[in-house]
């Protein structure tokens, strides 16, 4: 038994030893597996790091290779990139200048002069709205500004004075007056003495007016009339001049604004002629009251509406100027869409010029890029190299153009700024405009260059080797052709849309149509160049001999290049023709209609304050006068729908005297009787406008008068000469209570016989009848005296300078840059011609003939592109063909020819001895 126990003990020991050995082996095996797995993981990490390092090195190599190619190419193609630099710089400067002007116009507010000493001004809202629901959409609201001042109920003065924080509420009315003294006469504004504190004006001599026979004048009127305290002056308000005594002279701390003459409040209210209303209410706050607290207090105390649907507005800070110049924001509202439309056109033109020059620069290097691709350069390397080149050139050009945009924008701003609406220039605006223009140009340049190089960089190396030696393709791609055809159709459609517009709107639509057609010409350039060569090639060959043969063959073999050369010329010709011809066509038609409508042979003009109503009555009583009518100018607002959308249009109108109308004006009545144009419920309508509105004799027309009053007028006559006399003609009494100042601008006179001798005699008798009136003048009548709009205003001249001068100058620079770029790229061709025996004169004459061919083709195509929208616009608006003064077109043709010659001949002459120099 003992042996049995011992044997069991030994067996258990042996099993334990085996167990320990197996555990140790297991632990060793696990350790070895762990070490082996750790070794493999380290090896895999090392392998992945090793694989990532070559990829990073490859990317670095691509960047280095691209940077090397870009540097070498910039040095080798300095002339080509110089042309691109010039065009890009000009584009950035132009975009930045327009951005600066548009931004300044958006911030513009009328200046604060009369209310500089007021803490707030209460005035009626000058805006009018019209809401309608277009087909299949939510209701929309159109807004415009009224041309005449909207007045407040006089009860608003007491309510404003009772508001918390108000120390004084002053009723402010203004009356245009003519002040006469020993030293001369001058126009000014009559105001109550209580309103002097709103400027503020302060007495420098004398005392305030104490009776209706005393006045206080400001220092400007004192100097103009040579009058001082104690002197006698005359005031011409609503009739013949009346004598007053100067009780004092005031001075003000601000400059600008109309000269002022102050009367007692009661007398001023009587002269103003609207005792139940006031122009505005000036508010002087109590000490310690903030502007926001004052506004809140007044808004709580005042009614929401005054005089029907007009809102009551509380103006503080820079807004106070809106109460002084009620139509200033209306003028801004008319100018802003026009300037924005031109800005959009400028942006499209600038992008077109950048795309054209960059594409031409890249295209001229297609053989070089194909060769690089053939020897192993990757597409990515080539795209990166081209992008780097363009980015460097465009980046520097954009910065320089952004800097140049500031003085150009300031020049354009000076042309558009007016006294009622000065354009502000905050410090941040030039920087923002320059940065915006530079960013847009720099960001647009690289994608254009990459797209232009895509046809080469995407080739296989073997195919690229053949492309390097292949001739230039003569036809554009399918996508480009289709896009050009679509844009051409869009341009024709836009020209058709111009027929439904009128005035400036039709001119803007015509400009848009021309832009679409210009871009279509750029896309379809090779096709157009081929057609042009078929027409002009034979004359060039016959006239030029050997040089003509070379010029014709060179142009026919490179349709793409010829199309690129023609495009900028088409751009400048079409754009300038549309801008000039649209205005010239309207002005010529209006002049003709106004001249045909004028039956008066004499006209009476007055001072800036206008002619009192009594002047027309005095003229009618003068010997030799057969008829005399005062011409009162105002405006109306027409609410209507255009393509389902609500729209508000402002129209200038004439207020006339019906019983005197036939003797002085002939609007060519086509229906109705102008003798019925009397009372407050009649209107005469131009026949084209009546057709648009669908109204006839006896039908009602709903209008808003100049102060926003809604009226329903009965059509009593239709007339033809609406371009010269306006779309609507109203009785003078219908406008009398709705104008800011009831003053005639002109008095039209028809003498008894109508002969020159009779007119001279009548003029003398009229002068005697008007002797009591100050500042009147009698002279022969002209068409400008009755035209509904002046033949040329300062703003019109400014828009011509901006639209034609600035943009046309940029387009001419684009012509020079593009043609210079093309000429520089042809230097190998010139070398070859000289090497095979072409003489210096032959090459020079070839360049001259090519310049003439490009200029003639560009002028012809550009004129045709402009004619498409202009014909539709002119026929529908005036019933005649477009008109452009021959002298203006001659200057345009000369400028285009000189620019084409500078872009072609100067680079050819400076291109080296291989072109025009002697052979060696």
């Amino acid at each position: 038994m003992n042996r049995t126990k011992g044997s069991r003990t030994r067996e258990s020991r042996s099993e334990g030893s085996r167990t320990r050995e197996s555990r140790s082996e297991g632990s060793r095996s696990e350790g070895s597996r762990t070490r082996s797995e750790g070794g493999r993981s380290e090896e895999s990490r090392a392998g992945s790091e090793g694989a990532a390092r070559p990829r990073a090195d490859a990317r670095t190599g691509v960047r280095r290779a691209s940077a090397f190619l870009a540097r070498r190419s910039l040095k080798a193609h300095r002339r080509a990139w110089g042309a691109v630099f010039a065009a890009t710089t000009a584009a950035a400067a132009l975009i930045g200048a327009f951005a600066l002007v548009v931004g300044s116009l958006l911030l513009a507010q009328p200046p604060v002069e009369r209310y500089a000493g007021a803490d707030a001004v209460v005035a009626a809202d000058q805006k009018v709205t019209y809401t309608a629901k277009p087909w299949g959409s939510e209701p929309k609201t159109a807004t415009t500004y009224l041309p005449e001042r909207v007045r407040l109920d006089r009860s608003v003065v007491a309510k404003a004075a009772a508001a918390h924080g108000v120390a004084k509420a002053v009723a402010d009315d203004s009356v245009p007056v003519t002040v006469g003294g020993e030293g001369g006469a001058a126009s000014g504004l009559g105001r109550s003495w209580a309103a002097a504190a709103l400027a503020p004006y302060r007495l420098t001599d004398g005392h305030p007016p104490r009776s209706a026979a005393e006045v206080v004048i400001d220092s400007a009127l004192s100097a103009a009339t040579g009058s001082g305290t104690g002197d006698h002056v005359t005031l011409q308000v609503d009739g013949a001049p009346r004598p007053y005594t100067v009780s004092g002279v005031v001075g003000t701390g601000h400059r600008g604004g109309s000269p002022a003459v102050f009367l007692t409040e009661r007398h001023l209210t009587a002269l103003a002629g609207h005792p139940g209303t006031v122009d505005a209410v000036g508010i002087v706050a109590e000490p310690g009251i903030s502007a926001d607290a004052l506004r809140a207090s007044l808004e709580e105390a005042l009614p929401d509406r005054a005089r029907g649907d007009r809102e009551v507005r509380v103006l503080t800070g820079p807004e106070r100027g809106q109460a002084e110049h009620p139509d200033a924001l209306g003028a801004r509202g008319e100018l802003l869409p026009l300037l924005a439309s031109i800005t959009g056109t400028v942006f499209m033109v600038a992008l077109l010029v950048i795309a054209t020059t960059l594409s031409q620069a890249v295209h001229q290097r297609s053989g070089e890029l194909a060769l690089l691709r053939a020897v192993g350069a990757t597409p990515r390397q080539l795209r990166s190299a081209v992008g780097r080149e363009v980015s460097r050139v465009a980046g520097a050009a954009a910065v320089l153009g952004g800097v140049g945009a500031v003085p150009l924008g300031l020049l354009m701003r000076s042309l558009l700024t007016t006294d009622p609406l000065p354009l502000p220039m905050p410090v941040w605006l030039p920087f923002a405009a320059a940065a915006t223009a530079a960013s847009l140009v720099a960001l647009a340049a690289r994608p254009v260059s990459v797209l232009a190089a895509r046809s080469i960089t995407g080739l296989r190396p073997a195919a690229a080797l053949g492309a390097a030696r292949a001739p230039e393709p003569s036809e554009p791609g399918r996508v480009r052709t289709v896009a050009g055809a679509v844009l051409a159709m869009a341009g024709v459609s836009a020209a058709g849309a111009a027929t439904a517009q009128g005035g400036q709107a039709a001119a803007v639509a015509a400009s848009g149509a021309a832009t679409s057609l210009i871009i279509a010409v750029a896309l379809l350039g090779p096709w157009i160049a081929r057609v042009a060569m078929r027409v002009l090639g034979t004359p060039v060959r016959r006239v030029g001999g050997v040089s003509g043969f070379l010029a014709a063959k060179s142009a026919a073999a490179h349709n793409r290049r010829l199309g690129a050369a023609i495009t900028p010329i088409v751009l400048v010709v079409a754009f300038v023709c549309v801008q000039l011809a649209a205005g010239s066509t309207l002005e010529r038609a209006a002049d003709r209609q106004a001249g045909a409508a004028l039956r008066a042979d004499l006209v009476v003009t007055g001072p800036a304050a206008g002619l009192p109503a009594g002047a027309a009555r005095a003229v009618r009583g003068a010997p030799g006068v057969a008829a005399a009518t005062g011409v009162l100018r105002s405006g109306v607002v027409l609410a209507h729908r255009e393509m389902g959308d609500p729209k508000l249009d402002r129209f200038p109108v004439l207020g006339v005297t019906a019983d005197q109308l036939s003797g002085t004006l002939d609007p060519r009545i086509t229906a109705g009787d102008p003798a019925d144009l009397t009372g407050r419920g009649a209107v005469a309508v131009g026949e084209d406008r009546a057709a648009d509105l669908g109204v006839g004799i006896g039908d009602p027309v709903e209008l808003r008068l100049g102060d926003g009053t809604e009226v329903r007028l009965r059509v009593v006559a239709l007339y033809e000469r609406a371009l010269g006399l306006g779309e609507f003609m109203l009785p003078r009494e219908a406008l009398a209570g709705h104008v800011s100042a009831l003053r005639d601008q002109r008095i039209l006179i028809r003498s008894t016989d109508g002969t020159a001798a009779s007119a001279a005699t009548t003029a003398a008798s009229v002068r005697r009848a008007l002797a009591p009136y100050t500042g009147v003048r009698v002279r022969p009548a002209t068409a400008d005296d009755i035209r509904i709009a002046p033949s040329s205003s300062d703003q019109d001249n400014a828009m011509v300078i901006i639209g034609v001068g600035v943009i046309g100058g940029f387009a001419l620079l684009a012509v020079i840059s593009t043609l210079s770029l093309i000429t520089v790229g042809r230097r190998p061709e010139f070398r070859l011609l000289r090497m095979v025996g072409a003489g210096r004169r032959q090459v020079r004459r070839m360049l001259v003939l090519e310049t003439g061919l490009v200029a003639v083709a560009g002028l012809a195509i550009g004129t045709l592109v402009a004619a498409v929208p202009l014909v539709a616009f002119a026929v529908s608006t005036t019933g005649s063909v477009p008109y452009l003064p021959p002298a203006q077109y001659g200057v345009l043709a000369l400028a285009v020819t000189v620019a084409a010659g500078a872009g072609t001949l100067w680079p050819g002459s400076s291109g080296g001895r291989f072109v025009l120099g002697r052979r060696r």
Side-chain angles (χ1 to χ4, degrees), residues 74-133:
L74 284 173
K75 292 181 180 179
H77 302 283
R78 291 189 302 272
R79 292 180 180 272
W81 288 121
V84 174
F85 182 87
T88 308
T89 300
L94 199 63
I95 293 174
F98 272 88
L100 187 146
V101 173
V102 172
S104 181
L105 188 60
L106 287 172
L107 299 173
Q109 290 281 352
V112 181
E113 295 166 347
R114 285 165 45 189
Y115 300 124
D119 297 295
V121 179
V122 179
D125 190 7
Q126 289 289 139
K127 289 189 296 185
V128 62
T129 60
Y130 171 52
T131 302
K133 187 178 184 301

Side-chain angles (χ1 to χ4, degrees), residues 5-23 25:
K5 291 180 179 178
S7 62
R8 291 176 180 170
T9 301
R10 286 193 296 272
E11 289 175 0
S12 63
R13 289 175 181 169
S14 63
E15 290 176 0
S17 62
R18 284 195 298 273
T19 301
R20 287 192 297 269
E21 290 175 359
S22 64
R23 289 175 179 172
E25 290 176 359

Side-chain angles (χ1 to χ4, degrees), residues 301-340:
L302 295 175
D304 294 334
R305 294 288 185 269
R307 299 198 68 201
D309 63 344
R310 302 264 60 82
E311 293 184 0
V312 176
R313 299 186 63 202
V314 179
L315 307 174
T316 59
E319 294 177 341
R320 292 170 296 170
Q322 298 178 21
E324 299 185 30
H325 306 278
D327 194 36
L329 294 184
R332 187 187 73 173
E334 292 179 349
L335 180 60
L336 192 58
L338 181 61
L339 190 61

Side-chain angles (χ1 to χ4, degrees), residues 769-835:
L770 295 177
Y773 293 87
T774 303
V776 297
R777 180 168 172 259
V778 183
R779 59 172 176 80
T782 64
D784 285 339
D785 293 321
I786 61 170
R787 275 192 56 170
I788 194 63
S791 58
S792 180
S793 64
D794 293 339
Q795 192 175 87
D796 292 336
N797 294 333
M799 294 307 297
V800 169
I801 294 174
I802 292 173
V804 177
V806 178
I807 304 175
F810 166 70
L812 288 175
L813 180 60
V815 171
I816 297 174
S817 299
T818 302
L819 294 180
S820 299
L821 181 61
I822 293 173
T823 304
V824 168
R826 294 178 62 190
R827 280 190 287 177
E829 175 187 339
F830 297 151
R831 293 191 186 101
L832 181 60
L833 287 173
R834 297 288 282 132
M835 290 175 64

